[in-house]
Amino acid sequence: MKDYPIEIDDYLSGNMSISEQQAFEERLRTDAALAQEFKLQKEMFAMYGNESWAEGDEDILKTDQAKQLQSFFKSDEASDIKATINEVITENRTSVNSRRFWFIGIAASIAVLLTVSLFVFKDRNYEELYASYIHLDEIPSLVTRGEDAHKLLEEAQLLFEAQKYEEATQSFSEYHQKEATINPLSYIYNGIAYIELGEFDRALVQFKRLEDSNTLQAKKAKWYRALVFLKQKNRTKLKQTLQTILDNNSNYKYKEAQELLDMID
């Protein structure tokens, strides 16, 4: 059996001498089977290798999909899969009898990597999903007409509505520190403000406080926690949180949780 996978890997990795490279390139022009396998492995090498994840057309690298895929390859999930691939290479590279298995293992592992990364495309774009499920218009106002408005709370809501999220979180934090009785809706507003600022841990703290508030609003905490993971593109924790909502069909946003889970699963 021909050792195409090993030869191709040595060529792409720069492990051949100049004379060996020249001989290999000459064979590429005359051996159709080698050329076909080389094309496939070169494409996989470009995806898997530690060099730039794509080369050539710089305009392609500027697209949203390219940026999302590049971001995925830098994620912990992709790193774990790469580590597994390295283990396959290390364990099987020196065995003549397992060389074919080594190549198949690489192909299968990279196929998994590519398959996992596809969830950021098509209808599964996390930014679009977050925008379609956040529904800010559904959150009741913090200020009730006909009542003496709490100035700090009113100011915080106005800053939030103006998308001045940094200032809004400061006002909400001041309100939470000063008042003995807290309007639980303020945790929702403050948590979303932190989401928009990319401060996901702080957002989760707000929704934990909402959950612990023992109010009617507390039942919404799981859904907003799910939105944190959606915005964060943390697929694993998002699925786990959605599953907790689906444990009981009376839970807040049960239907939406099922829809969202179907789209990312």
Side-chain angles (χ1 to χ4, degrees), residues 117-183:
S117 69
L118 288 177
F119 73 86
V120 300
F121 301 130
K122 299 180 181 179
D123 295 332
R124 299 179 182 183
N125 182 289
Y126 277 30
E127 290 293 336
E128 292 178 2
L129 288 173
Y130 175 82
S132 65
Y133 280 102
I134 186 62
H135 293 307
L136 296 179
D137 57 316
E138 292 183 356
I139 308 174
S141 174
L142 291 167
V143 181
T144 304
R145 292 183 179 181
E147 295 183 3
D148 293 335
H150 191 294
K151 295 300 181 184
L152 195 55
L153 203 54
E154 181 179 12
E155 174 187 301
Q157 180 171 336
L158 290 174
L159 288 169
F160 180 92
E161 291 173 350
Q163 298 183 4
K164 296 180 179 180
Y165 298 119
E166 187 71 43
E167 295 93 328
T169 59
Q170 293 172 3
S171 293
F172 281 122
S173 296
E174 185 179 351
Y175 165 75
H176 291 156
Q177 291 170 3
K178 286 184 175 181
E179 297 300 317
T181 302
I182 304 298
N183 184 333

Side-chain angles (χ1 to χ4, degrees), residues 53 59 84 122 155 161 166 193 200 213 224:
W53 71 289
D59 290 335
T84 301
K122 299 180 181 179
E155 174 187 301
E161 291 173 350
E166 187 71 43
F200 302 117
S213 66
Y224 285 106

